[in-house]
Amino acid sequence: MKPLQELVRPNIWALTPYSCARDEYKGKAASVFLDANESPYNAPFNRYPDPTQWEVKELLAKIKGVRPEQIFLGNGSDEAIDLVFRVFCCPGKDNVVAIAPTYGMYQVCADINDVAYRPVLLNEDFSLSADRLLAAVDENTKAIFLCTPNNPTGNNLEAKEIEKVITHFDGIVVIDEAYADFSQAPQFRNQLEAYPNIIVLNTMSKAWGSAAIRMGMAFAGEEIIELFNRVKYPYNINLLSQQQALALLKETGKVHDWLRMILNERAKMLPAFAELSVCKRVYPTDANFFLAKMTDANAIYHYLIEQGIVVRNRNSVQLCGQCLRITIGTPSENNAILGALRQYK
């Protein structure tokens, strides 16, 4: 890995972050708050929330097996993705490399930040070729984006290929593990010490059932997390989201039950879907969704919409022709789509 200062945009390295009033007295007792021009009424919503979300991070660290200082919390994982570009990539000069097909926000953030985006196709079976990915790198490549399990394909990328990318690339490797809770594969957030150039993403939106609170996570070395905190907006996670996250993090048993039920339904859903006359193939998955090649993806998608059933049409995505992406739902939701497709003509 290059020295971090060589990877970071010079203006970001020199940036003096906004000083939050709540940071200035941290660690000292206080009961009278006349510093931030807040209203003294309507507690607790009259006060700005903790800008570092420290209580959430301390609890999350125990669950995820990392230190609180290695955690960044963002307004969804999308904030962390955007920060990769804002911290490391000079607009109009630098580029990033990513697999294709994959999560669309990587390219959206690249386009917003005026950073060239270089997609590299996966193999036909959706496996990763580290050599082909690395061949797209040049002296202005600041980051590589990998998603495992990948979206929309659902499969884990091979750990050895990911490790080859990490060890042969001297920039930042972003490993998006949004769906890792549904997989048995080892997670790269447990290797932060071994690989200081990785940023591992996770989220409360999937296995934790909390998409509405918009809380994403990034795990990385402390220097990278400090840079993210320097650039983010001061109070990026609101009080209600922090409170809901704390409540859920204290009920991991409930989340494990949800996870077990989803995995049980996945085991039933895949073979049942493969038997449908309109389904040509169901691809293996390590996520809470699966990709299915249909006889006519566009027509079937619109038919399902008319039945009040919403899935994701991936027909126009590279390597995913005639494919629909279906999320594993409750037993009744899964039965609803199976029943509808059995009657499709």
Side-chain angles (χ1 to χ4, degrees):
M1 178 183 176
K2 290 179 180 176
L4 195 58
Q5 186 172 357
E6 293 183 22
L7 293 171
V8 176
R9 290 170 53 181
N11 64 304
I12 299 300
W13 190 263
L15 179 69
T16 300
Y18 176 79
S19 176
C20 297
R22 296 298 179 260
D23 281 335
E24 294 173 0
Y25 73 89
K26 190 173 182 179
K28 297 180 180 179
S31 58
V32 178
F33 299 99
L34 304 176
D35 57 311
N37 302 334
E38 304 151 320
S39 170
Y41 306 109
N42 195 35
F45 307 110
N46 58 326
R47 301 300 180 190
Y48 287 108
D50 176 8
T52 60
Q53 311 94 31
W54 199 249
E55 189 177 359
V56 179
K57 289 178 181 177
E58 287 186 319
L59 191 51
L60 191 60
K62 297 175 183 177
I63 294 170
K64 296 293 185 177
V66 298
R67 299 191 304 277
E69 296 83 4
Q70 295 174 311
I71 302 173
F72 169 82
L73 296 180
N75 188 351
S77 297
D78 294 340
E79 181 177 5
I81 292 167
D82 185 58
L83 281 170
V84 172
F85 292 92
R86 295 169 64 197
V87 169
F88 295 106
C89 300
C90 292
K93 173 186 175 184
D94 292 330
N95 67 74
V96 301
V97 171
I99 57 174
T102 195
Y103 181 43
M105 278 303 296
Y106 309 144
Q107 181 160 8
V108 170
C109 288
D111 293 344
I112 290 171
N113 287 280
D114 192 22
V115 173
Y117 185 83
R118 298 181 174 183
V120 177
L121 273 180
L122 295 169
N123 297 320
E124 288 291 330
D125 62 354
F126 303 142
S127 60
L128 170 66
S129 169
D131 289 337
R132 197 156 68 243
L133 199 69
L134 291 165
V137 169
D138 66 16
E139 65 276 8
N140 291 322
T141 304
K142 287 295 187 68
I144 293 176
F145 283 85
L146 301 171
C147 185
T148 183
N150 189 30
N151 177 10
T153 60
N155 62 301
N156 282 319
L157 302 180
E158 299 78 357
K160 289 184 179 179
E161 293 295 295
I162 295 175
E163 289 166 357
K164 186 173 183 179
V165 172
I166 295 170
T167 56
H168 287 75
F169 177 56
D170 58 8
I172 299 297
V173 179
V174 181
I175 306 172
D176 192 340
E177 294 184 341
Y179 301 96
D181 293 307
F182 304 100
S183 169
Q184 297 299 313
Q187 298 180 19
F188 275 86
R189 74 157 187 277
N190 298 317
Q191 302 188 55
L192 297 180
E193 309 299 337
Y195 301 126
N197 61 326
I198 66 173
I199 298 172
V200 180
L201 305 180
N202 205 207
T203 179
M204 298 289 289
S205 297
K206 311 303 179 184
W208 291 86
S210 297
I213 73 171
R214 306 308 304 130
M215 186 175 290
M217 316 162 202
F219 306 103
E222 293 180 29
E223 284 187 292
I224 292 176
I225 297 301
E226 183 181 341
L227 287 163
F228 274 28
N229 286 329
R230 187 184 301 180
V231 176
K232 77 173 181 71
Y233 292 117
Y235 304 104
N236 61 324
I237 305 291
N238 68 68
L239 175 64
L240 295 175
S241 291
Q242 292 188 46
Q243 289 176 336
Q244 180 61 27
L246 284 169
L248 195 56
L249 290 169
K250 294 172 183 177
E251 294 189 83
T252 55
K254 179 190 293 186
V255 177
H256 290 155
D257 287 341
W258 295 341
L259 183 58
R260 176 181 51 79
M261 290 187 286
I262 290 171
L263 294 178
N264 286 342
E265 281 299 301
R266 186 179 76 181
K268 298 174 185 177
M269 185 67 164
L270 268 61
F273 209 91
E275 291 177 358
L276 295 170
S277 61
V278 293
C279 179
K280 298 174 71 174
R281 179 180 181 184
V282 172
Y283 290 91
T285 182
D286 300 288
N288 68 328
F289 62 85
F290 62 94
L291 198 65
K293 185 177 286 292
M294 313 300 287
T295 53
D296 188 337
N298 289 342
I300 294 169
Y301 170 78
H302 290 293
Y303 163 77
L304 289 173
I305 291 291
E306 291 173 359
Q307 306 303 308
I309 299 170
V310 183
V311 298
R312 196 79 156 107
N313 188 353
R314 301 286 76 187
N315 184 40
S316 61
V317 174
Q318 290 175 297
L319 301 182
C320 298
Q322 297 298 343
C323 285
L324 299 179
R325 192 193 71 195
I326 297 96
T327 305
I328 303 298
T330 64
S332 62
E333 290 171 331
N334 297 334
N335 289 335
I337 187 173
L338 290 171
L341 290 176
R342 287 175 182 136
Q343 297 179 39
Y344 177 79
K345 296 180 181 179

